[in-house]
């Protein structure tokens, strides 16, 4: 029989998400999750399971409410040139002096290639982004009347993977504290070169 939750599940996952983003998996404890979510350890265990299970739930929530939403907002709702650029520039749109970065990026760096129950969520998040980039690139090529198999099209063969790598690199530099002005210039130059846009 399903348990009637006495709290807002989305708000709990959002609070836990902030905790993991700020402190990483290793630096987050059940005690800190109690403080962040306002739930007791018993409620957390009963609702989500142990720390691994909570983190997996948080990653799934992050992919659904952050990653998919960003792809929809930028890459699916705009012309491809504008969407790709706006997605990258949105990475610089934060007010915190010490941004906590992307949960996927931070977790991938923290876990590395080790086997973990959290790996599927990280992999899924990257796949959502790469698929979004690939769809935008396909639209870009069609808009520029570039035929599949042509030399111009072949130049874009690995563009989605390159954009994913660039996206993660920008997030690492954001987390490291690289000035926004430098990152903005880097983003504009790279995306303009990819899309053939001149400024």
């Amino acid at each position: 029989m399903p348990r009637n939750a006495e709290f807002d599940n989305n708000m709990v996952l959002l609070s836990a998400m902030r905790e993991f983003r700020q402190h990483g998996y290793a630096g987050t404890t059940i005690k800190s999750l109690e403080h962040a979510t306002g739930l007791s350890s018993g409620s957390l265990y009963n609702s989500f399971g142990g720390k691994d299970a909570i983190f997996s739930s948080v990653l799934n929530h992050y992919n659904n409410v952050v990653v998919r939403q960003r792809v929809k907002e930028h890459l699916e709702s705009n012309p491809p040139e504008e969407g790709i650029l706006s997605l990258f520039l949105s990475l610089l749109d934060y007010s915190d002096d010490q941004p906590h970065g992307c949960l996927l990026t931070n977790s991938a760096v923290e876990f590395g290639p080790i086997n973990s129950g959290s790996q599927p969520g990280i992999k899924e998040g990257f796949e959502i982004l790469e698929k979004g980039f690939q769809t935008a690139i396909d639209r870009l090529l069609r808009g520029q009347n570039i035929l599949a198999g042509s030399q111009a099209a072949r130049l874009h063969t690995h563009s989605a993977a390159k954009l994913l790598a660039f996206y993660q690199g920008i997030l690492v530099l954001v987390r490291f504290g690289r000035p926004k002005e430098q990152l903005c210039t880097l983003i504009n130059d790279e995306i303009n070169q990819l899309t053939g846009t001149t400024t």
Side-chain angles (χ1 to χ4, degrees), residues 28-173:
T28 298
T29 65
I30 292 296
K31 195 71 176 175
S32 66
L33 287 170
E34 285 184 280
H35 180 74
T37 63
L39 297 180
S40 67
S41 59
S43 292
L44 288 170
Y45 279 112
N46 288 334
S47 300
F48 302 101
K51 181 178 168 181
D52 284 347
I54 295 170
F55 187 61
S56 292
S57 294
V58 165
L59 272 174
N60 184 59
H61 191 67
Y62 187 81
N63 285 337
N64 287 328
V65 304
V66 176
V67 181
R68 292 184 195 279
Q69 180 58 35
R70 289 177 61 75
V71 168
K72 180 179 180 180
E73 178 184 352
H74 295 279
L75 299 181
E76 296 177 1
S77 301
N78 296 294
E81 300 94 329
E82 294 177 19
I84 294 171
L85 181 59
S86 70
L87 175 61
F88 276 88
L89 291 178
S90 73
L91 300 179
L92 310 182
D93 185 21
Y94 55 87
S95 56
D96 196 338
D97 290 336
Q98 295 181 320
H100 303 311
C102 168
L103 182 62
L104 296 176
T105 309
N106 298 349
S107 301
V109 171
E110 181 175 4
F111 285 109
I114 65 172
N115 292 324
S116 165
S118 305
Q119 288 279 15
I122 298 170
K123 182 174 182 288
E124 179 188 17
F126 287 159
E127 288 174 347
I128 293 167
L129 283 167
E130 188 167 3
K131 182 179 178 181
F133 285 135
Q134 187 61 62
T135 300
I137 290 166
D138 291 343
R139 290 171 56 214
L140 175 68
L141 296 180
R142 287 196 299 271
Q144 294 177 346
N145 295 317
I146 296 175
L147 299 176
S150 67
Q151 182 177 0
R154 284 195 295 272
L155 291 175
H156 287 273
T157 300
H158 303 293
S159 291
K162 290 176 185 175
L163 283 173
L164 177 62
F166 186 54
Y167 187 89
Q168 299 307 313
I170 292 294
L171 285 165
V172 170
L173 292 177

Side-chain angles (χ1 to χ4, degrees), residues 5-47:
E6 298 176 354
F7 54 82
D8 186 327
N9 193 67
N10 288 334
M11 291 303 297
V12 169
L13 289 173
L14 181 61
S15 297
M17 182 194 307
R18 291 192 186 112
E19 191 72 12
F20 282 117
R21 285 177 70 183
Q22 183 173 359
H23 301 291
Y25 179 84
T28 298
T29 65
I30 292 296
K31 195 71 176 175
S32 66
L33 287 170
E34 285 184 280
H35 180 74
T37 63
L39 297 180
S40 67
S41 59
S43 292
L44 288 170
Y45 279 112
N46 288 334
S47 300

